[in-house]
Amino acid sequence: MNVKTSLDARPIIDVRGVWKRFGPAEVLRGIDLAIRKSEVTCIIGPSGSGKSTLLRCIAFLEEYSEGEIYIEGELLGFALEGGRRRRVSDAEVARVRRNIGFVFQQFNLWPHMTALENVAMPLKLARGIPREDATKRARAMLDKVGLTNRAEAYPSQLSGGQQQRVGIARALAMEPHIMLFDEPTSALDPELVGEVLQVMRDLAAEGMTMAVVTHEMGFAAQVADTVVFIDHGVIGASGSPEQVFRRDENPRLRQFLQNYF
Ligand code: ADP
Ligand code: MG
């Protein structure tokens, strides 16, 4: 193995023994998950199994209770001191998660701003990029998701699929190394799902590192390098799509997949 492959083989997201509790509820119960550069990991599982919580912990939108999450080799959210962990400052958290983009099920666009402004605004606010440069980059991102001609439209004038593509453009504008998607097509009418999945397929083909919570098993089968099945806060199965979708020794997984195949 040459030096480059061995470096690339290091996980870009490394989740080790992570627990998340909300009061007495143990929502994540010892999650281990490694995602390497340019890999696509699809996370599947029943409602309430902890999929969103896991993704939110990886972006530190939730503070995890135990374990470690490393992003590009750096511990996220905490510093380890003599075996104890100490919460680091918000600025330090922001620095480590700076290269993570997040796309939500609900598009969360600002209704009073055009598509272009929705993509450009975070660049100005969070990155301090001057207006003209921000607008230019925002246009390029809208081109990328196939919305060149809808830049001046307001969210209410866009279909759900177009709104979600604006959401993806907004995340991509920040030039992330990692993209996290939480059920990006679940709020869409069925005929609009394909256009969003196509944008995600293109991103994967360009080598973006992605973790995708989804119920689109066709997408997972085609695009994922790894499929992870979460059940009651633990990883019940993981492997290539062929392995996970054909696995029949795990009755919970078998039962879950029966709803889809
Ligand atoms: P999934 O995305 O797989 O449907 P979630 O991660 O959203 O599941 O939720 C997993 C469990 O954690 C659920 O039982 C949910 O009620 C609980 N949960 C999620 N967020 C919170 C919260 N902020 N406070 C309390 N419980 C929560
Ligand atoms: Mg969820």
Side-chain angles (χ1 to χ4, degrees):
M1 194 192 280
N2 66 34
V3 173
K4 183 159 184 303
T5 23
S6 69
L7 278 178
D8 285 349
R10 237 175 12 197
I12 184 168
I13 300 173
D14 201 355
V15 177
R16 297 193 196 162
V18 162
W19 289 67
K20 173 62 183 174
R21 298 184 188 90
F22 290 107
E26 296 182 327
V27 171
L28 298 178
R29 301 183 293 142
I31 297 282
D32 291 298
L33 176 65
I35 300 179
R36 288 171 184 77
K37 193 169 184 303
S38 296
E39 273 184 359
V40 177
T41 300
C42 285
I43 299 167
I44 63 172
S47 178
S49 57
K51 305 180 299 296
S52 294
T53 302
L54 173 59
L55 224 53
R56 291 172 61 79
C57 285
I58 293 173
F60 215 70
L61 299 173
E62 298 286 356
E63 188 173 316
Y64 48 102
S65 313
E66 254 180 68
E68 288 110 49
I69 297 177
Y70 293 87
I71 303 295
E72 298 180 284
E74 292 199 84
L75 183 59
L76 173 65
F78 301 97
L80 294 177
E81 285 164 357
R84 292 189 157 266
R85 36 178 241 173
R86 169 178 63 78
R87 172 78 155 78
V88 297
S89 68
D90 290 346
E92 176 61 9
V93 170
R95 186 184 66 74
V96 175
R97 72 163 172 219
R98 180 185 164 94
N99 295 322
I100 300 179
F102 206 113
V103 174
F104 302 89
Q105 178 177 339
Q106 300 304 332
F107 325 121
N108 300 334
L109 301 180
W110 289 297
H112 58 291
M113 289 185 196
T114 64
L116 187 68
E117 289 164 347
N118 265 282
V119 180
M121 187 55 70
L123 291 171
K124 292 185 254 182
L125 289 183
R127 296 283 151 94
I129 293 175
R131 206 168 101 95
E132 213 164 296
D133 294 348
T135 304
K136 208 163 141 192
R137 201 195 285 180
R139 276 197 196 283
M141 290 306 123
L142 289 175
D143 288 349
K144 196 177 166 70
V145 300
L147 291 174
T148 308
N149 299 322
R150 304 299 280 143
E152 306 306 330
Y154 288 88
S156 62
Q157 301 169 317
L158 298 171
S159 73
Q162 290 173 330
Q163 290 183 56
Q164 188 57 297
R165 286 188 281 149
V166 174
I168 295 172
R170 180 178 54 185
L172 290 177
M174 309 292 270
E175 300 182 321
H177 300 168
I178 297 164
M179 285 285 282
L180 306 178
F181 294 86
D182 191 358
E183 301 201 30
T185 61
S186 293
L188 299 177
D189 292 334
E191 73 272 22
L192 303 177
V193 167
E195 64 190 63
V196 172
L197 293 181
Q198 188 53 49
V199 168
M200 293 167 63
R201 231 178 242 122
D202 293 345
L203 262 185
E206 286 172 19
M208 178 62 79
T209 307
M210 295 164 51
V212 185
V213 173
T214 188
H215 297 282
E216 294 293 332
M217 298 302 160
F219 175 85
Q222 276 183 0
V223 182
D225 297 289
T226 305
V227 175
V228 172
F229 171 64
I230 299 197
D231 187 30
H232 289 307
V234 299
I235 293 184
S238 102
S240 69
E242 294 76 17
Q243 288 170 331
V244 171
F245 291 143
R246 295 213 187 114
R247 186 165 295 178
D248 50 13
E249 66 262 32
N250 180 330
R252 299 271 311 167
L253 172 58
R254 199 169 55 212
Q255 187 190 12
F256 173 74
L257 289 176
Q258 263 168 11
N259 303 320
Y260 296 94
F261 292 100

